[in-house]
Each structure stands twice: as C-alpha cells, then as structure tokens.
Amino acid sequence: MIKKINDEIKKAMLEKDASRRDVFFSVKSAANLMAKEAHKEVEDEHIISAIRKEVKALNGTLAALEGKDGVEEAVKDANYRISVLEVYLPKMLNHDEVLAVADPIVAAMENPNMGNAMKSVMAVLKGKADGKLIKEVVVEILKNQKSA
C-alpha cells in the first residue's frame, strides 16, 4: 500500500494538485512515524491507521466548523480530503455484522462484564468496525443477557 501512496503523491505532483499531494504526504508521514515507533517497516496497517486518524481529525474539524460563518473554504477542503482518503479505507462493518460477530463471543463468556466483553470483541473487530458501534452492540448484548 505504501507503493500506492507514493504513486498518488507522484500523480498529484504531476497534476499540480497540491491539496491531494498534501493529503498523501501527511498520511505517509504519519505511517512512517507509527512504523518507526513500532521499530518496523511501514506496513499496510500503519497506512490504514494513519488514514483513519486523518479522517477522524477531519471529521472533528467539520464538527467544529459547523454553523460558523466564513468557513466555507475550510469545510470544502476538509470534505475534499475526506473523499480522497476514504477510497483507501476498508469497508467498515455495520450494526448487524458487528452483532453477528460479537454475540457468540459474549455468549461464550462466563459472567461477562463490559470490560471483558469489550476486550474480547475488540480483539476480533479492531479496525473492522467503529469503536463506538462496537460498544453500543456490546451494551445491547449484555442488556439482553440480563433480561433473559
């Protein structure tokens, strides 16, 4: 995947698309830093993690700018950056898919509590689904077990 990122940087430079080039430079830089901290070569997981962090930060920026006057250009830029990066993210699981994976994991546990259930489910679903969604599903499963 690092080759794809490098190719995108070259392509953006040839097309003189500074915004797109900057998006991929920041991803490459963040992935290199993560790999260096882990004492490894840059791997796909580092790149995907860097892209996720960048998209999350951009979504935070959009939320902060919401409803403010005179920020149309910043909103447009953030949306553009998100659209460029989302192409490289794997598809995230939806509620039903998370439930299908998490339910048997929690059901197999003796006296499950929130902490143990989240730890077990996150071990399987980390990077495949949004953490907030996983938490909601685990809470739902635990409530259903208590009421049954």
Side-chain angles (χ1 to χ4, degrees), residues 91-99 128-129 133 137:
K91 179 187 170 288
M92 300 297 266
L93 299 178
N94 63 31
H95 181 274
D96 294 335
E97 293 166 328
V98 171
L99 184 61
K128 297 178 184 173
L133 176 62
V137 169

Side-chain angles (χ1 to χ4, degrees), residues 9 12 18 36 52 55 58 66 71 75 82 92 102 106 115 131 136:
I9 291 170
K36 187 175 181 179
R52 278 205 177 98
V55 169
L58 290 167
E66 194 171 288
V71 294
V75 169
I82 290 170
M92 300 297 266
V106 176
E136 290 171 15

Side-chain angles (χ1 to χ4, degrees), residues 57-82:
L58 290 167
N59 283 326
T61 299
L62 287 175
L65 294 175
E66 194 171 288
K68 294 186 177 177
D69 292 333
V71 294
E72 293 81 18
E73 195 62 36
V75 169
K76 183 179 173 186
D77 184 56
N79 281 323
Y80 173 73
R81 289 171 174 260
I82 290 170

Side-chain angles (χ1 to χ4, degrees), residues 71-129:
V71 294
E72 293 81 18
E73 195 62 36
V75 169
K76 183 179 173 186
D77 184 56
N79 281 323
Y80 173 73
R81 289 171 174 260
I82 290 170
S83 69
V84 167
L85 292 173
E86 283 183 336
V87 172
Y88 291 91
L89 288 176
K91 179 187 170 288
M92 300 297 266
L93 299 178
N94 63 31
H95 181 274
D96 294 335
E97 293 166 328
V98 171
L99 184 61
V101 173
D103 198 25
I105 293 171
V106 176
M109 298 175 77
E110 277 187 44
N111 303 320
N113 62 38
M114 186 65 182
N116 290 339
M118 281 297 294
K119 184 177 179 182
S120 298
V121 173
M122 285 300 286
V124 175
L125 292 178
K126 185 174 184 185
K128 297 178 184 173

